[in-house]
Amino acid sequence: GAGVSQSPRYKVTKRGQDVALRCDPISGHVSLYWYRQALGQGPEFLTYFNYEAQQDKSGLPNDRFSAERPEGSISTLTIQRTEQRDSAMYRCASSLAGRAGSSYEQYFGPGTRLTVT
Amino acid sequence: ELKVEQNPLFLSMQEGKNYTIYCNYSTTSDRLYWYRQDPGKSLESLFVLLSNGAVKQEGRLMASLDTKARLSTLHITAAVHDLSATYFCAVGARYNFNKFYFGSGTKLNVKP
């Protein structure tokens, strides 16, 4: 079946602009996660949702970053007033977490490469 | 905060040889996940280890978990070039299974 999809795959923006990154999880997956991955590093947790509820946003670097999942499916990560240090790969993952017998295994999307110039 | 340390960070090995990648973590957890990432690609799930002593094998790769030592290993047997990739371990936080902490990854290069 279809995996996790993300759009756009690449985004170049000027410093100070707002960007919105989209994630479409695997159908039926309850939980959705956002990560940021710097080159040569492992993914770093940003936030996650169970259905439409944002359960943990402790990894969001500052208040310029926000995320939503209004209908419990597609999610958007928004970065306001982008800065050069925001340049990274942003990855989304989804899982059956919370369903009986789930291993909480997370399935990752292809990512959005964000470059802030 | 849970810290995850992988070693080695880089591994260059000949085809046919065996080697082990280590994943140590700082606080109690019994949920450990291994992922593979090819250059420019996403992360592909390899193994899910959910209890002390868990062992999983797939082809030339075998993963194990020792929760008392807070250690997981990924053993490579008779390496082949196709195994060249970056391998990440991720630990699920004990009180929140949804929150994964990743290691920095081990970049494996298997030379023909």
Side-chain angles (χ1 to χ4, degrees), chain B residues 41-54:
Chain B
K41 303 289 186 186
S42 188
L43 285 81
E44 173 193 351
S45 180
L46 291 176
F47 298 110
V48 177
L49 304 168
L50 300 179
S51 61
N52 185 40

PDB file of all heavy atoms in Angstrom, chain B residues 41-54:
ATOM      1  N   LYS B  41      17.851   8.753   0.645  1.00  0.00           N
ATOM      2  CA  LYS B  41      16.576   8.036   0.803  1.00  0.00           C
ATOM      3  C   LYS B  41      16.034   8.209   2.216  1.00  0.00           C
ATOM      4  O   LYS B  41      16.695   8.783   3.090  1.00  0.00           O
ATOM      5  CB  LYS B  41      16.758   6.544   0.515  1.00  0.00           C
ATOM      6  CG  LYS B  41      17.326   6.245  -0.852  1.00  0.00           C
ATOM      7  CD  LYS B  41      16.340   6.531  -1.943  1.00  0.00           C
ATOM      8  CE  LYS B  41      16.872   6.080  -3.283  1.00  0.00           C
ATOM      9  NZ  LYS B  41      15.970   6.473  -4.382  1.00  0.00           N
ATOM     10  N   SER B  42      14.847   7.644   2.423  1.00  0.00           N
ATOM     11  CA  SER B  42      14.246   7.709   3.753  1.00  0.00           C
ATOM     12  C   SER B  42      14.751   6.566   4.622  1.00  0.00           C
ATOM     13  O   SER B  42      15.613   5.787   4.220  1.00  0.00           O
ATOM     14  CB  SER B  42      12.731   7.649   3.624  1.00  0.00           C
ATOM     15  OG  SER B  42      12.149   7.890   4.884  1.00  0.00           O
ATOM     16  N   LEU B  43      14.229   6.488   5.839  1.00  0.00           N
ATOM     17  CA  LEU B  43      14.626   5.437   6.761  1.00  0.00           C
ATOM     18  C   LEU B  43      13.711   4.234   6.580  1.00  0.00           C
ATOM     19  O   LEU B  43      12.487   4.356   6.575  1.00  0.00           O
ATOM     20  CB  LEU B  43      14.530   5.917   8.214  1.00  0.00           C
ATOM     21  CG  LEU B  43      15.614   6.868   8.683  1.00  0.00           C
ATOM     22  CD1 LEU B  43      15.344   8.288   8.256  1.00  0.00           C
ATOM     23  CD2 LEU B  43      15.758   6.798  10.201  1.00  0.00           C
ATOM     24  N   GLU B  44      14.348   3.076   6.488  1.00  0.00           N
ATOM     25  CA  GLU B  44      13.622   1.825   6.310  1.00  0.00           C
ATOM     26  C   GLU B  44      13.743   1.006   7.584  1.00  0.00           C
ATOM     27  O   GLU B  44      14.850   0.789   8.092  1.00  0.00           O
ATOM     28  CB  GLU B  44      14.219   1.047   5.136  1.00  0.00           C
ATOM     29  CG  GLU B  44      13.666  -0.341   4.932  1.00  0.00           C
ATOM     30  CD  GLU B  44      14.506  -1.157   3.956  1.00  0.00           C
ATOM     31  OE1 GLU B  44      15.417  -0.593   3.321  1.00  0.00           O
ATOM     32  OE2 GLU B  44      14.278  -2.365   3.857  1.00  0.00           O
ATOM     33  N   SER B  45      12.629   0.568   8.110  1.00  0.00           N
ATOM     34  CA  SER B  45      12.646  -0.211   9.347  1.00  0.00           C
ATOM     35  C   SER B  45      13.252  -1.590   9.098  1.00  0.00           C
ATOM     36  O   SER B  45      12.892  -2.278   8.147  1.00  0.00           O
ATOM     37  CB  SER B  45      11.217  -0.364   9.869  1.00  0.00           C
ATOM     38  OG  SER B  45      11.213  -1.113  11.060  1.00  0.00           O
ATOM     39  N   LEU B  46      14.191  -1.976   9.968  1.00  0.00           N
ATOM     40  CA  LEU B  46      14.821  -3.293   9.864  1.00  0.00           C
ATOM     41  C   LEU B  46      14.326  -4.236  10.967  1.00  0.00           C
ATOM     42  O   LEU B  46      13.898  -5.351  10.684  1.00  0.00           O
ATOM     43  CB  LEU B  46      16.338  -3.161   9.989  1.00  0.00           C
ATOM     44  CG  LEU B  46      17.091  -2.485   8.853  1.00  0.00           C
ATOM     45  CD1 LEU B  46      18.572  -2.366   9.216  1.00  0.00           C
ATOM     46  CD2 LEU B  46      16.928  -3.266   7.565  1.00  0.00           C
ATOM     47  N   PHE B  47      14.467  -3.805  12.204  1.00  0.00           N
ATOM     48  CA  PHE B  47      14.146  -4.672  13.333  1.00  0.00           C
ATOM     49  C   PHE B  47      13.425  -3.893  14.425  1.00  0.00           C
ATOM     50  O   PHE B  47      13.710  -2.722  14.652  1.00  0.00           O
ATOM     51  CB  PHE B  47      15.423  -5.277  13.950  1.00  0.00           C
ATOM     52  CG  PHE B  47      16.208  -6.148  13.012  1.00  0.00           C
ATOM     53  CD1 PHE B  47      17.434  -5.725  12.528  1.00  0.00           C
ATOM     54  CD2 PHE B  47      15.731  -7.391  12.626  1.00  0.00           C
ATOM     55  CE1 PHE B  47      18.167  -6.518  11.663  1.00  0.00           C
ATOM     56  CE2 PHE B  47      16.461  -8.201  11.765  1.00  0.00           C
ATOM     57  CZ  PHE B  47      17.684  -7.757  11.279  1.00  0.00           C
ATOM     58  N   VAL B  48      12.533  -4.613  15.116  1.00  0.00           N
ATOM     59  CA  VAL B  48      11.851  -4.083  16.290  1.00  0.00           C
ATOM     60  C   VAL B  48      12.139  -5.039  17.443  1.00  0.00           C
ATOM     61  O   VAL B  48      11.822  -6.228  17.347  1.00  0.00           O
ATOM     62  CB  VAL B  48      10.330  -3.983  16.046  1.00  0.00           C
ATOM     63  CG1 VAL B  48       9.621  -3.502  17.296  1.00  0.00           C
ATOM     64  CG2 VAL B  48      10.041  -3.060  14.868  1.00  0.00           C
ATOM     65  N   LEU B  49      12.743  -4.554  18.505  1.00  0.00           N
ATOM     66  CA  LEU B  49      13.122  -5.375  19.664  1.00  0.00           C
ATOM     67  C   LEU B  49      12.381  -4.839  20.868  1.00  0.00           C
ATOM     68  O   LEU B  49      12.554  -3.679  21.247  1.00  0.00           O
ATOM     69  CB  LEU B  49      14.637  -5.298  19.883  1.00  0.00           C
ATOM     70  CG  LEU B  49      15.493  -5.696  18.684  1.00  0.00           C
ATOM     71  CD1 LEU B  49      16.944  -5.307  18.906  1.00  0.00           C
ATOM     72  CD2 LEU B  49      15.385  -7.193  18.435  1.00  0.00           C
ATOM     73  N   LEU B  50      11.545  -5.682  21.473  1.00  0.00           N
ATOM     74  CA  LEU B  50      10.611  -5.183  22.484  1.00  0.00           C
ATOM     75  C   LEU B  50      10.786  -5.805  23.862  1.00  0.00           C
ATOM     76  O   LEU B  50       9.938  -5.593  24.739  1.00  0.00           O
ATOM     77  CB  LEU B  50       9.169  -5.402  22.013  1.00  0.00           C
ATOM     78  CG  LEU B  50       8.793  -4.706  20.707  1.00  0.00           C
ATOM     79  CD1 LEU B  50       7.356  -5.029  20.332  1.00  0.00           C
ATOM     80  CD2 LEU B  50       9.005  -3.201  20.816  1.00  0.00           C
ATOM     81  N   SER B  51      11.834  -6.558  24.070  1.00  0.00           N
ATOM     82  CA  SER B  51      12.020  -7.128  25.404  1.00  0.00           C
ATOM     83  C   SER B  51      13.481  -7.507  25.605  1.00  0.00           C
ATOM     84  O   SER B  51      14.231  -7.684  24.635  1.00  0.00           O
ATOM     85  CB  SER B  51      11.139  -8.365  25.596  1.00  0.00           C
ATOM     86  OG  SER B  51      11.481  -9.353  24.648  1.00  0.00           O
ATOM     87  N   ASN B  52      13.845  -7.691  26.871  1.00  0.00           N
ATOM     88  CA  ASN B  52      15.214  -8.082  27.176  1.00  0.00           C
ATOM     89  C   ASN B  52      15.500  -9.459  26.571  1.00  0.00           C
ATOM     90  O   ASN B  52      14.691 -10.373  26.691  1.00  0.00           O
ATOM     91  CB  ASN B  52      15.413  -8.137  28.686  1.00  0.00           C
ATOM     92  CG  ASN B  52      16.858  -8.426  29.048  1.00  0.00           C
ATOM     93  OD1 ASN B  52      17.776  -7.899  28.418  1.00  0.00           O
ATOM     94  ND2 ASN B  52      17.063  -9.262  30.051  1.00  0.00           N
ATOM     95  N   GLY B  53      16.625  -9.566  25.907  1.00  0.00           N
ATOM     96  CA  GLY B  53      16.990 -10.846  25.299  1.00  0.00           C
ATOM     97  C   GLY B  53      16.426 -11.060  23.913  1.00  0.00           C
ATOM     98  O   GLY B  53      16.678 -12.091  23.291  1.00  0.00           O
ATOM     99  N   ALA B  54      15.658 -10.092  23.416  1.00  0.00           N
ATOM    100  CA  ALA B  54      15.069 -10.250  22.080  1.00  0.00           C
ATOM    101  C   ALA B  54      16.176 -10.350  21.040  1.00  0.00           C
ATOM    102  O   ALA B  54      17.171  -9.630  21.100  1.00  0.00           O
ATOM    103  CB  ALA B  54      14.152  -9.076  21.768  1.00  0.00           C
TER     104      ALA B  54
END
